[in-house]
Amino acid sequence: MDYSTLPYNPIAERIVDILVTKTQNNSREFFRLQANYYINLVASVMGTKINTEITGTIPINMYGINLGISGLGKTFSTNILENDVIGAFKQRFVQDVFPAQAEHNIALTAQKRCQMLNMSYDEVLDRLTKQFKSYGAFKFMFDSATTPAIKQFRHMLLLADLGAINITIDEIGSNLEANTDTLTTFLELYDKGLVRDKLTKNTDTSVRHTEIFGSTPANIMMFGTPNKLLDGTKTEEAYFDFLDTGYARRCFFAFTKLNRSMGELTPEELYNRLTDKTQEKDLGTISNRMFALASTNYCNLKIKLPKVTGIELLKYRIDCEKRAAALPEHCEIQKAELAHRYFKVLKLAGAYAFIEMKPEISVTHIYQAIRLAEDSGKALEQMFKREKPYERLAKFIAGNKGKQLTQVDLVNELPFYKGAASVKNEMMNSAIAWGYKNNIIIKKSFKDSIEFFEGETLEETNLDKLVLSYSKELADKYVNDELKFDTLEHMVVHEGLHWTNHHTTNGHRSEKTMKSGFNLLVLDVDGSIGLKTAMELLKDYTYLMYTTKRHGQLVEVAPNVMEPEDRFRIILPTNYVLELNAEDFTTFMQGVKDWCPFEVDSSTFQRSRKWLCNDKAEVYINKGKLFDVLPFIPQTKRYDEYKKSQLSLQSMSNLERWFAAQMVEGQRNNIMAQFGFLLMDSGFNSQEIQEKLLEFNSKLQNKLDEKEILSTVMLSIRNRQNHTN
């Protein structure tokens, strides 16, 4: 079944509609949990129970955790619910229904006890009445409580045989620790309204009263802002501990991270909504419905669960248990919540039946409760997928693009960035690692022994928007442009055109006037390797190669031996757009030079470098992966790791370093063979290839067995040579 197509309860939804308009905020999930909670309160304080052959008799009650950012209108909506929705019900219940029911039940209890205690009815009645009054005034709802007070209040409700223990905790993130004992007690009260009494010493001043057996429903709503509760500190840890100990399976959840204002409305539309008389009429209708339920005729009703409805509930339970079983083992809290979700559904469905004055829970009531329970499950999942503190740290640093932040700045601005230096260092390392996987780079530097952090969110390269500028002149009149990769081949053969891989600020090409963003690498190759060999080495990358004007010129390769030399330019689109200053750009390009499997001209490693097009160029295009810039960005963790990895390869040539970097377990034979094939294509004979491969292998930390090279690898090379010949 697609649970997202199930209906919400219409009374609850009409309340949500009113709250949305009154608060001018369209955060329906936040108001929906509120509305359902207050509907449940009405059924719960009236002592309504559900009688089923599946669970036995259970009280109707509800626990909720409603998280939302500041400004949602929580106080405003709560006032509407308490005053306009259930206000009349509450007043009549407190003033008339509860006292009448208490008087009636105390009299019944006196009749039952007088014979047992061998006392007159009037004596027992007087004693019970004094006991009842000793508990103090009835409170419909409170915001904090101690465990002894809860148990005392519960005795009062048991004597009255009516009412519920209702607590609303605001800003749970700040008040969680202070309510630990209360929340622990409420864990016991949820299922059947039972809690164990503490044995106290009986004295003249502290009389131990006769125990009253029965259940008292308990309801709790916890409000809070995500940043205060899910703050990455011990508060967050304590919260998830509570979920783990049982609150996950007991609670309905809402998690609202956005303030969905009504800003898209015109002032006239908003005025019309706020003054719509149908809202007041609907509020009156709903209030009258609730008021009518405040009657001794509706006290302690038992709602039935017919077989057909019970089967539908069990169908949902089985599905929930299957989904729970499919979750990974480490998702213990989510598994527990999902497996017990049907129980919350049953209680809420009973509340729906009560406010509709129905003696039985219908399948429709079950469906309506399932819809809210499924929304609740998604909200709980969002809490587990919340932004971790290190994610927020990474985003904060990146959000201050261009600003160098100190440890003091971070401590002052971020409430979760606290603790010992080792804790903050671990969080920073996690932020850097998370940023690496999420297009954020964080640079670390030191000035005068002060640690600085700088970051930015990287923009992925769009191959239809490659940054460059061009001009017919050497240094002036450069036009900034963004070209498609597929059109570059037309530009590079444009006669007399000069171009750069950066934009200029004013059309003049100089180091001071170049803008910092680029997404193209340009490498000049002047005879260090053959064109075809370079194409083979870079076959996995997207590139454009074009020959320069001096391509094919004869050079002396041996005494009196002249051969044409390959001279060409390689354009490599990068996977991200980078913004580097002049110094960092040069350092970046030096890292690229070290990575490259052949020698490139390092005199071109300036942002203001320009290249000349060649109208007679041979152009070669390949499409593969984009060049990964992350290991080469200065002052980053990846850069430090890359430089460290290169230390062990210093004794190797560029070509050897290239293949050494690719030598991983399971592929070493293939990589060694590819190296040999490349040497073969470059004109080396079998003996020379063998010597070079053995020399290369001797430089590796994780060497191949020489016998394997001489047999397997060289056999493949000789077979290809024979086949070629």
Side-chain angles (χ1 to χ4, degrees):
M1 179 185 292
D2 182 1
Y3 298 122
S4 65
T5 63
L6 295 178
Y8 293 107
N9 179 266
I11 297 176
E13 281 304 285
R14 186 57 191 129
I15 295 173
V16 173
D17 291 337
I18 294 169
L19 296 179
V20 164
T21 301
K22 292 280 189 181
T23 61
Q24 303 173 47
N25 193 303
N26 198 33
S27 301
R28 297 186 69 86
E29 58 272 32
F30 184 87
F31 298 134
R32 185 172 288 127
L33 183 52
Q34 272 190 298
N36 279 275
Y37 180 72
Y38 279 89
I39 284 174
N40 170 85
L41 274 187
V42 171
S44 187
V45 297
M46 290 299 294
T48 314
K49 297 176 177 61
I50 303 171
N51 187 19
T52 83
E53 296 183 10
I54 302 172
T55 61
T57 301
I58 59 172
I60 289 176
N61 62 317
M62 185 176 186
Y63 289 8
I65 297 177
N66 204 354
L67 301 186
I69 62 172
S70 298
L72 290 180
K74 190 267 300 179
T75 302
F76 191 11
S77 59
T78 299
N79 288 336
I80 293 172
L81 287 161
E82 292 190 358
N83 298 325
D84 300 333
V85 176
I86 70 163
F89 166 87
K90 175 183 174 182
Q91 183 176 0
R92 187 177 186 186
F93 178 86
V94 174
Q95 294 179 355
D96 300 330
V97 178
F98 185 78
Q101 177 65 15
E103 183 179 358
H104 174 70
N105 195 64
I106 288 172
L108 287 178
T109 305
Q111 288 179 352
K112 295 175 183 177
R113 286 191 180 181
C114 61
Q115 189 172 16
M116 179 185 70
L117 298 174
N118 196 24
M119 297 172 62
S120 69
Y121 168 76
D122 289 338
E123 287 178 317
V124 176
L125 180 62
D126 182 61
R127 179 181 292 185
L128 287 174
T129 302
K130 288 180 179 178
Q131 179 184 338
F132 182 77
K133 290 181 178 180
S134 72
Y135 294 139
F138 172 79
K139 291 182 69 69
F140 189 86
M141 189 179 296
F142 41 91
D143 60 11
S144 62
T146 63
T147 297
I150 291 172
K151 292 181 178 181
Q152 185 185 63
F153 187 66
R154 180 173 178 271
H155 288 157
M156 179 186 187
L157 300 184
L158 287 172
L159 267 177
D161 193 27
L162 193 64
I165 309 170
N166 306 319
I167 185 169
T168 300
I169 302 176
D170 200 7
E171 199 50 72
I172 187 63
S174 300
N175 296 311
L176 183 62
E177 185 176 356
N179 286 280
T180 298
D181 291 342
T182 301
L183 293 173
T184 302
T185 303
F186 265 66
L187 277 174
E188 288 186 70
L189 285 167
Y190 177 78
D191 291 340
K192 293 197 173 184
L194 304 176
V195 66
R196 293 180 180 86
D197 279 332
K198 183 178 181 180
L199 181 64
T200 58
K201 184 178 180 180
N202 187 67
T203 66
D204 293 338
T205 57
S206 178
V207 179
R208 190 186 312 134
H209 297 296
T210 303
E211 184 174 0
I212 304 173
F213 298 98
S215 68
T216 48
N219 300 282
I220 185 168
M221 175 60 75
M222 292 172 270
F223 291 102
T225 54
N227 287 345
K228 282 285 185 68
L229 182 61
L230 308 176
D231 61 353
T233 67
K234 63 179 182 179
T235 299
E236 179 179 318
E237 183 179 351
Y239 170 66
F240 282 102
D241 282 344
F242 270 112
L243 294 186
D244 194 23
T245 56
Y247 268 94
R249 72 173 181 86
R250 290 169 170 83
C251 285
F252 281 90
F253 300 90
F255 188 46
T256 308
K257 294 185 288 185
L258 298 174
N259 187 339
R260 303 184 184 92
S261 67
M262 310 290 280
E264 70 275 7
L265 299 177
T266 65
E268 183 177 359
E269 288 172 333
L270 183 57
Y271 179 86
N272 291 336
R273 285 198 180 192
L274 292 173
T275 58
D276 185 359
K277 299 300 182 184
T278 59
Q279 289 185 30
E280 302 306 321
K281 182 180 178 181
D282 288 348
L283 266 177
T285 300
I286 295 170
S287 177
N288 290 337
R289 175 186 287 273
M290 302 302 176
F291 178 78
L293 293 169
S295 167
T296 53
N297 295 328
Y298 294 109
C299 291
N300 298 313
L301 293 181
K302 289 187 178 180
I303 307 291
K304 294 181 180 179
L305 184 74
K307 181 178 179 180
V308 63
T309 308
I311 291 174
E312 202 63 31
L313 178 66
L314 291 178
K315 185 188 299 183
Y316 178 66
R317 175 180 178 177
I318 292 170
D319 179 60
C320 287
E321 289 176 349
K322 287 181 179 178
R323 286 189 284 160
L327 291 175
E329 286 300 319
H330 68 273
C331 298
E332 294 180 1
I333 296 176
Q334 298 99 311
K335 289 167 79 76
E337 187 279 329
L338 187 51
H340 292 86
R341 197 175 290 178
Y342 79 96
F343 197 59
K344 293 184 285 191
V345 165
L346 175 60
K347 291 192 173 212
L348 182 58
Y352 290 156
F354 178 77
I355 63 169
E356 293 179 9
M357 301 180 184
K358 303 290 186 182
E360 296 181 340
I361 298 174
S362 68
V363 171
T364 299
H365 294 142
I366 292 292
Y367 286 165
Q368 292 167 357
I370 287 174
R371 181 64 191 274
L372 187 70
E374 289 297 309
D375 288 353
S376 167
K378 292 176 183 177
L380 177 61
E381 192 60 34
Q382 282 183 296
M383 293 180 193
F384 278 95
K385 293 180 179 178
R386 68 204 179 281
E387 282 189 343
K388 306 295 190 299
Y390 58 79
E391 295 178 40
R392 282 184 268 167
L393 174 60
K395 289 182 178 181
F396 176 80
I397 296 173
N400 283 272
K401 182 178 178 181
K403 182 179 179 181
Q404 290 189 321
L405 302 167
T406 66
Q407 289 282 359
V408 174
D409 295 327
L410 297 176
V411 170
N412 289 339
E413 293 288 340
L414 304 175
F416 56 84
Y417 191 71
K418 298 185 182 301
S422 59
V423 174
K424 289 185 286 189
N425 187 54
E426 182 180 353
M427 189 184 299
M428 181 62 72
N429 288 336
S430 296
I432 293 171
W434 181 84
Y436 165 66
K437 294 182 179 180
N438 292 274
N439 304 352
I440 291 176
I441 58 167
I442 297 175
K443 301 177 183 178
K444 186 189 300 185
S445 60
F446 288 89
K447 294 180 182 177
D448 299 327
S449 301
I450 299 174
E451 191 175 29
F452 289 91
F453 300 94
E454 185 178 355
E456 65 175 301
T457 300
L458 296 179
E459 176 190 349
E460 292 187 2
T461 291
N462 183 342
L463 287 176
D464 289 340
K465 294 183 177 181
L466 298 177
V467 175
L468 46 79
S469 57
Y470 44 79
S471 174
K472 287 281 189 178
E473 299 186 12
L474 288 175
D476 292 301
K477 296 183 180 180
Y478 274 79
V479 176
N480 295 336
D481 206 347
E482 291 180 338
L483 296 186
K484 296 181 178 180
F485 179 76
D486 292 338
T487 64
L488 286 182
E489 61 179 311
H490 303 300
M491 184 201 73
V492 298
V493 296
H494 197 290
E495 184 179 3
L497 192 68
H498 305 275
W499 68 279
T500 76
N501 62 340
H502 285 74
H503 284 168
T504 69
T505 57
N506 58 4
H508 177 66
R509 181 180 61 83
S510 69
E511 193 52 57
K512 292 183 178 180
T513 58
M514 304 309 287
K515 293 184 178 180
S516 57
F518 71 98
N519 56 6
L520 287 178
L521 295 183
V522 187
L523 304 175
D524 265 341
V525 183
D526 292 331
S528 61
I529 197 169
L531 181 59
K532 290 184 178 180
T533 303
M535 291 168 62
E536 174 63 24
L537 288 167
L538 298 177
K539 63 183 178 181
D540 294 331
Y541 292 87
T542 293
Y543 65 72
L544 182 148
M545 296 186 189
Y546 73 96
T547 55
T548 58
K549 290 185 178 295
R550 292 194 296 161
H551 173 69
Q553 289 185 354
L554 295 177
V555 295
E556 188 174 12
V557 295
N560 300 320
V561 179
M562 304 293 289
E563 289 185 3
E565 186 175 59
D566 285 349
R567 292 175 176 260
F568 53 94
R569 195 160 289 135
I570 305 172
I571 301 175
L572 286 166
T574 61
N575 55 346
Y576 296 111
V577 179
L578 288 188
E579 297 187 10
L580 302 178
N581 59 33
E583 181 181 354
D584 284 347
F585 181 78
T586 300
T587 303
F588 171 86
M589 289 303 300
Q590 186 60 51
V592 174
K593 174 180 180 293
D594 293 340
W595 165 88
C596 207
F598 40 80
E599 289 294 329
V600 297
D601 185 0
S602 59
S603 67
T604 63
F605 293 173
Q606 303 89 33
R607 296 188 307 173
S608 58
R609 175 70 185 192
K610 68 89 181 174
W611 293 275
L612 182 63
C613 297
N614 178 14
D615 60 321
K616 295 180 175 59
E618 302 171 19
V619 180
Y620 304 91
I621 294 174
N622 188 64
K623 292 187 178 180
K625 62 184 178 182
L626 301 185
F627 181 84
D628 183 11
V629 297
L630 295 179
F632 310 103
I633 303 172
Q635 302 175 47
T636 64
K637 185 177 181 180
R638 274 296 301 275
Y639 177 78
D640 292 340
E641 290 174 350
Y642 177 75
K643 293 296 289 184
K644 185 177 180 181
S645 70
Q646 294 299 297
L647 292 177
S648 61
L649 308 178
Q650 284 182 329
S651 62
M652 298 183 184
S653 66
N654 286 54
L655 190 60
E656 287 176 330
R657 283 199 299 270
W658 173 271
F659 283 103
Q662 301 179 58
M663 295 286 281
V664 294
E665 286 293 339
Q667 297 181 345
R668 294 186 300 155
N669 275 359
N670 291 336
I671 299 300
M672 187 69 76
Q674 289 175 24
F675 188 15
F677 294 147
L678 185 69
L679 294 172
M680 183 186 72
D681 294 338
S682 300
F684 291 93
N685 61 41
S686 178
Q687 184 59 36
E688 290 171 329
I689 293 173
Q690 180 174 302
E691 291 173 359
K692 287 187 174 292
L693 291 184
L694 291 175
E695 181 184 0
F696 170 60
N697 188 58
S698 67
K699 299 175 183 178
L700 296 174
Q701 290 184 341
N702 191 13
K703 301 177 178 61
L704 279 173
D705 190 301
E706 283 194 12
K707 292 181 180 179
E708 197 169 349
I709 296 175
L710 296 175
S711 57
T712 307
V713 176
M714 287 307 302
L715 179 62
S716 298
I717 292 171
R718 292 190 186 96
N719 287 338
R720 178 175 290 193
Q721 282 180 324
N722 293 334
H723 179 74
T724 303
N725 295 333

